[in-house]
Amino acid sequence: MAILDVKNLEKHFGSTRVLNDISFSLEKGNALAIIGASGSGKTTLLRCLNFLEIPNQGVISVKDEVIFDAAARGRVSEREIRRRRLHFGLVFQSFNLFPQYTALGNVCLAGKLLAQERPDFQANKKEIFAEIEEKGRSLLAQMGLSDRAEHFPHQLSGGQQQRVAIARALALEPDILCFDEPTSALDPELTGEVLRVIRSLAEKETTMIIVTHEMAFARDVADQVIFMEGGYILEQGPAKEVIGNPKEERTKQFLARYREDA
C-alpha cells in the first residue's frame, strides 16, 4: 500500500525550474533514499513535501488523501498548512535546535504549541504537558540520550544534537520521516552514531525519505533509491539495483565520481 504518492510535481523559482515532472510513490514501512549531486533538486523536493515551499504544479497524496493539488484554486490557511505538515517530520542538515531550550524542551515544543489548540487545553494543561514530556523523555531514551534531557544544544556534540532533532521529528508521530543530508554537518567520527539511529528506525519499518550522500548506507538500508539530476528523476528502483547496477549512463557516471571521491 502506497502511503505517499507524488505526481508531476514542479517547482519554479522565477524562470528557473528546480523540479521537473517529479513522480514517485512510497510504500508504508519502506525507506526511500534520494541521491544526486548538489543542485539536483533533492532538498527542494523535501521542502515541497513539508510545505516549506509550495509547488507550482503537481499533486501530493498521503494515505489516499490529496493534501496538495496545484490545480486547486484559493488561498490555503496557515492552520491548514500546519495540518498538512504533520504528515512529514523533517530532520534538517544543521540540526536547527532552539538554543534557549533544553534537549527535552526542543523535543516537546511543537507538541505543546499544538496542544494549545485542543478544546480541553485550559482545563487539563498540566496533565497534557506532563504526557507530552513523558513521551519526549521516551524518545530521547530511544536515541540514547536519557542523560542529556536537561542539556542545552551548546552542551551537546553534533551527533547528539542531530539525535535530538530526530526525536523532535518523531514526537508528532508523522506518517513519513524525512532526512535532508542528516550527516553532512557532522565530523566523520560522529556520522556513525546518527546513521545507526536511522538504521534502527528502518529496522522498525519506519517510513522514511532520506536525502543522503552516504551511498553504501543507502544501498544497505533503503528499499528504493531515486537518482536526481537537474531537477529530474533519471532513475529509480530497488536500492541494490540502482546503486549496484544502474541502468542510466548518468547514474553510472555519478556513482563513479562518488567512488573516486570516497
Side-chain angles (χ1 to χ4, degrees):
M1 170 188 169
I3 193 170
L4 173 66
D5 194 24
V6 176
K7 293 181 179 178
N8 310 119
L9 207 67
E10 294 193 3
K11 178 60 185 175
H12 314 155
F13 292 107
S15 61
T16 302
R17 291 182 175 235
V18 181
L19 297 177
N20 297 275
D21 197 25
I22 300 295
S23 296
F24 67 93
S25 61
L26 177 61
E27 298 293 311
K28 181 176 174 61
N30 280 5
L32 167 67
I34 304 177
I35 63 173
S38 297
S40 60
K42 307 183 303 295
T43 292
T44 300
L45 175 55
L46 285 192
R47 290 177 64 85
C48 284
L49 293 177
N50 200 252
F51 298 100
L52 295 172
E53 304 286 353
I54 303 301
N56 297 91
Q57 293 186 37
V59 178
I60 302 171
S61 301
V62 177
K63 296 189 292 190
D64 293 327
E65 175 193 358
V66 174
I67 65 169
F68 175 81
D69 185 349
R73 302 299 179 187
R75 182 180 179 276
V76 179
S77 69
E78 285 298 317
R79 184 168 185 173
E80 176 60 19
I81 292 287
R82 289 199 303 272
R83 188 188 74 82
R84 294 175 183 181
R85 281 181 181 152
L86 293 176
H87 292 292
F88 301 91
L90 181 56
V91 179
F92 298 89
Q93 296 181 30
S94 55
F95 322 141
N96 281 20
L97 300 181
F98 292 101
Q100 69 270 36
Y101 293 107
T102 63
L104 181 63
N106 271 278
V107 173
C108 296
L109 181 60
K112 288 183 175 180
L113 291 174
L114 286 171
Q116 295 177 40
E117 298 180 3
R118 290 173 49 168
D120 64 336
F121 175 72
Q122 291 300 331
N124 300 292
K125 177 179 177 179
K126 185 175 180 180
E127 293 80 5
I128 290 171
F129 277 8
E131 182 179 340
I132 291 170
E133 290 185 5
E134 181 180 0
K135 181 179 179 180
R137 290 185 186 279
S138 176
L139 285 168
L140 287 173
Q142 185 180 336
M143 298 297 118
L145 294 171
S146 294
D147 59 343
R148 296 291 188 269
E150 305 306 329
H151 286 59
F152 290 89
H154 74 273
Q155 298 172 310
L156 303 172
S157 70
Q160 290 170 338
Q161 289 185 61
Q162 193 62 297
R163 283 184 280 156
V164 172
I166 295 171
R168 177 179 61 185
L170 287 168
L172 296 179
E173 300 180 0
D175 295 303
I176 301 154
L177 188 59
C178 301
F179 295 89
D180 184 13
E181 299 274 15
T183 62
S184 64
L186 299 176
D187 294 331
E189 62 269 22
L190 299 176
T191 295
E193 65 186 67
V194 173
L195 293 181
R196 282 192 293 273
V197 168
I198 300 174
R199 187 184 297 271
S200 71
L201 292 170
E203 290 171 352
K204 295 173 182 174
E205 298 189 343
T206 304
T207 309
M208 297 186 288
I209 299 175
I210 310 162
V211 169
T212 183
H213 60 274
E214 303 283 349
M215 297 301 133
F217 177 79
R219 180 196 63 214
D220 295 341
V221 172
D223 298 284
Q224 299 285 318
V225 164
I226 284 174
F227 171 64
M228 293 184 65
E229 183 177 273
Y232 290 90
I233 292 178
L234 294 190
E235 187 165 355
Q236 59 182 308
K240 289 180 172 56
E241 290 183 15
V242 173
I243 295 179
N245 188 29
K247 296 179 175 62
E248 297 292 330
E249 184 60 33
R250 281 180 285 181
T251 314
K252 294 176 183 178
Q253 292 171 0
F254 169 79
L255 290 170
R257 289 197 302 271
Y258 164 78
R259 293 186 185 104
E260 290 170 1
D261 294 340

